[in-house]
Amino acid sequence: MRYKIVTYGCQMNVHESEKIAGLLEGMGGTACADGESADVIVFNTCCIRDNAERRALGNIGVVKAEKKKNPGIIIAVCGCMTQQEGAAEVIRERYPYVDIVLGTRNIFALPGEIEKVKKARAAMKKRSDKRYRAFDTEYAPDYLDRDERTPVTRTSFPNAWVNIIYGCNNFCTYCIVPYVRGRELSRPMDAVLDEVRRCVDGGYKEITLLGQNVNSYGHDLSGGESFERLLRGIDRIDGKFRVRFMTSHPKDLTDGVIDAMACSDKICSNIHLPVQSGSDKVLKDMNRRYTRERYFALTEKLRAAMPDIGITTDVMVGFPTETEEDFADTTDLVRSVRFSNAFTFVYSPRKGTPAAEMPQIPYAVKRRRIGELIKLQNAVTKELSENYVGNVYEVLAEDVSPKHEGMLCGRTESGRLATFPGDAGRIGEFVKVRINEARSASLFGVTED
Ligand code: 5AD
Ligand code: SF4
């Protein structure tokens, strides 16, 4: 059985696809690069913004032709998109060639459903016989237990993704995530520590802890677990490796976590801290539960504890209540904080969320604002990049450079991407790199050892 997984969206999904691969390999599957020779195609979807959803649906549409050529193919759709209200019905009606639809908390049902589809097909006497199709987007009540037993086929060496908490309880008014990924569920701390230990023993050099809001880790456990305690526990694991985590919610980032980061050689001085907006009014309307002052104070604390820290963020423009003044507050914040990088988004109404019910801002206004914001952040990024030139940094060789032959790429502790000469055999090594050129977000250098 050859399989192909098409992944959309965030790192959480990238890792979820490693679990899907683990499940498929557990039933004898092997990965194949092109869809044409696949026996099973899985679409692991995202619905955070309209364009993510449209892209997935477009590509699911394309496999219709594939299925005509190769009727034996099994097509499965899973991930966030399937969990939206009415989504499974839309797929049932408009994408009749999709065989299996699973939600975000029952992916382990995939092997069983594939077997059922195969069996039903073998039993079909005529083409007109009723096909077996699976639509199951119920949250498994024993999700955490089942998840612990789900095999993982890692595909991102030398980085290993490790989930620590699933779901989100925050209900930011623009966001679909709490509706499609359910309430927060923390993995037991021992299970996380064990997994990290196994990854380090297995040669992984970077551990990235994942959660929609890693800072709320442990509040649903009974032994006083917290993100700070988890970080300190991971720091005590022997070996040379790096730790990163995402995503942090500014309202829950504690002094203890900042201290644990600052005291550790393993936990990188790097944080992704989505601000979304620089306007107190918009933050309130978004239900973010912090003010711009509190955000400034956090970034100051982080920098006082770790002067070289790289702070990245997510910023959104065009939230329904955002006026020109509010947008000016956002550009002012972006100018003052000096993020090493910012992911910028145009607000996209998501059905079922409170903000989607508010009067919307014209697209032309959103487009102008995003253009301005991107231009501003690019200038900041470029300026900050120049500070790296002439210095030597420890970089983890992560991959061959996709653009430059004979070169490798990897990140500094602060999270900056650097490109330097080297061959694939060095992937997974920590390399000293002297930076000699900065081109906007990317750094170029030569190895020192
Ligand atoms: N529209 C645009 N951007 C969104 N994000 C979340 N929901 C939406 C939406 N409806 C952005 C936020 C979040 C990032 C992962 O995606 O900035 O931090
Ligand atoms: Fe969405 Fe807010 Fe939860 Fe992040 S914290 S996943 S933006 S609801």
Side-chain angles (χ1 to χ4, degrees):
M1 186 184 83
R2 286 151 307 177
Y3 70 83
K4 182 179 174 186
I5 304 172
V6 188
T7 309
Y8 302 88
C10 65
Q11 280 77 8
M12 205 82 164
N13 264 17
V14 171
H15 184 40
E16 202 104 317
S17 288
E18 296 183 331
K19 293 184 188 175
I20 296 170
L23 290 164
L24 295 173
E25 295 195 0
M27 54 190 302
T30 47
C32 70
D34 69 298
E36 282 194 21
S37 60
D39 301 305
V40 176
I41 302 184
V42 183
F43 291 93
N44 190 9
T45 62
C46 168
C47 61
I48 192 96
R49 284 170 290 276
D50 184 50
N51 53 4
E53 206 173 327
R54 271 206 316 255
R55 220 154 24 100
L57 284 175
N59 287 341
I60 297 169
V62 171
V63 293
K64 184 177 178 180
E66 210 93 54
K67 185 132 175 174
K68 268 215 176 107
K69 273 190 269 166
N70 172 13
I73 204 166
I74 295 177
I75 297 164
V77 180
C78 62
C80 294
M81 205 177 82
T82 69
Q83 210 77 59
Q84 283 174 291
E85 217 181 299
E89 283 315 302
V90 169
I91 297 173
R92 193 198 293 275
E93 302 284 317
R94 293 198 212 147
Y95 301 85
Y97 44 89
V98 169
D99 300 290
I100 300 169
V101 174
L102 293 174
T104 52
R105 282 197 189 170
N106 63 350
I107 191 61
F108 23 71
L110 186 62
E113 296 297 359
I114 289 176
E115 290 301 346
K116 281 192 207 161
V117 171
K118 279 190 185 164
K119 227 184 237 157
R121 279 189 190 167
M124 266 168 75
K125 298 235 160 45
K126 303 194 290 290
R127 274 197 85 118
S128 56
D129 282 357
K130 213 166 158 38
R131 259 174 67 205
Y132 175 78
R133 298 178 80 194
F135 292 86
D136 183 4
T137 54
E138 291 297 311
Y139 289 163
D142 53 350
Y143 176 72
L144 280 182
D145 290 342
R146 299 287 303 269
D147 178 61
E148 291 303 335
R149 285 182 271 127
T150 302
V152 180
T153 298
R154 297 193 182 276
T155 55
S156 59
F157 179 85
N159 174 69
W161 310 106
V162 173
N163 285 122
I164 66 167
I165 180 167
Y166 297 100
C168 182
N169 290 359
N170 289 315
F171 290 94
C172 301
T173 56
Y174 52 79
C175 188
I176 192 78
V177 168
Y179 304 88
V180 295
R181 284 199 172 264
R183 295 297 70 71
E184 288 170 0
L185 270 182
S186 299
R187 286 179 68 194
M189 195 146 123
D190 287 348
V192 176
L193 292 173
D194 270 356
E195 185 174 352
V196 173
R197 223 173 273 125
R198 270 184 280 122
C199 291
V200 172
D201 291 347
Y204 288 87
K205 300 295 177 200
E206 181 180 72
I207 306 292
T208 307
L209 307 173
L210 297 177
Q212 256 75 41
N213 178 10
V214 290
N215 296 95
S216 48
Y217 174 77
H219 74 88
D220 54 332
L221 301 175
S222 55
E225 290 88 340
S226 67
F227 188 50
E228 177 190 347
R229 271 185 56 192
L230 180 69
L231 287 179
R232 294 194 195 274
I234 292 174
D235 185 51
R236 283 193 290 272
I237 294 174
D238 286 336
K240 164 110 178 126
F241 65 99
R242 284 179 169 180
V243 181
R244 300 184 196 272
F245 51 84
M246 59 178 40
T247 292
S248 289
H249 195 305
K251 84 175 161 55
D252 300 317
L253 177 62
T254 62
D255 292 353
V257 166
I258 297 176
D259 186 63
M261 290 174 76
C263 293
S264 167
D265 293 335
K266 296 185 174 112
I267 303 164
C268 291
S269 299
N270 182 203
I271 192 167
H272 184 60
L273 195 63
V275 66
Q276 313 299 359
S277 168
S279 149
D280 281 341
K281 183 200 81 194
V282 173
L283 287 171
K284 189 156 192 295
D285 294 345
M286 288 177 165
N287 190 30
R288 290 291 286 178
R289 288 173 281 172
Y290 54 83
T291 59
R292 63 185 268 131
E293 279 318 307
R294 159 115 171 111
Y295 192 89
F296 279 130
L298 278 176
T299 55
E300 275 160 25
K301 254 189 218 169
L302 284 161
R303 287 193 170 126
M306 292 163 276
D308 294 329
I309 191 170
I311 305 177
T312 58
T313 201
D314 292 340
V315 194
M316 204 186 296
V317 302
F319 185 81
T321 61
E322 184 186 74
T323 62
E324 285 306 317
E325 231 181 349
D326 297 316
F327 175 63
D329 284 344
T330 296
T331 50
D332 175 73
L333 182 140
V334 165
R335 211 173 282 119
S336 319
V337 174
R338 297 167 70 75
F339 295 107
S340 49
N341 210 345
F343 299 91
T344 51
F345 304 107
V346 171
Y347 167 72
S348 161
R350 304 284 69 207
K351 212 171 122 217
T353 61
E357 306 298 314
M358 303 175 185
Q360 303 293 317
I361 291 184
Y363 186 68
V365 173
K366 294 185 186 176
R367 205 173 44 204
R368 175 180 46 77
R369 288 183 190 162
I370 192 91
E372 249 180 69
L373 183 66
I374 291 173
K375 201 166 147 216
L376 167 62
Q377 180 57 43
N378 283 348
V380 175
T381 301
K382 188 160 193 305
E383 246 182 76
L384 292 179
S385 291
E386 271 145 24
N387 295 338
Y388 284 76
V389 176
N391 300 330
V392 177
Y393 296 88
E394 186 177 69
V395 175
L396 173 60
E398 292 169 40
D399 209 343
V400 290
S401 162
K403 285 195 204 140
H404 308 274
E405 215 174 307
M407 308 278 268
L408 294 175
C409 58
R411 279 168 299 165
T412 63
E413 184 189 339
S414 64
R416 268 318 180 90
L417 196 67
T419 302
F420 51 95
D423 59 67
R426 295 200 81 179
I427 291 174
E429 276 180 40
F430 288 98
V431 181
K432 293 262 183 296
V433 177
R434 180 177 295 280
I435 302 302
N436 52 23
E437 192 190 342
R439 288 185 214 157
S440 63
S442 15
L443 307 172
F444 291 82
V446 290
T447 51
E448 289 265 299
D449 45 9

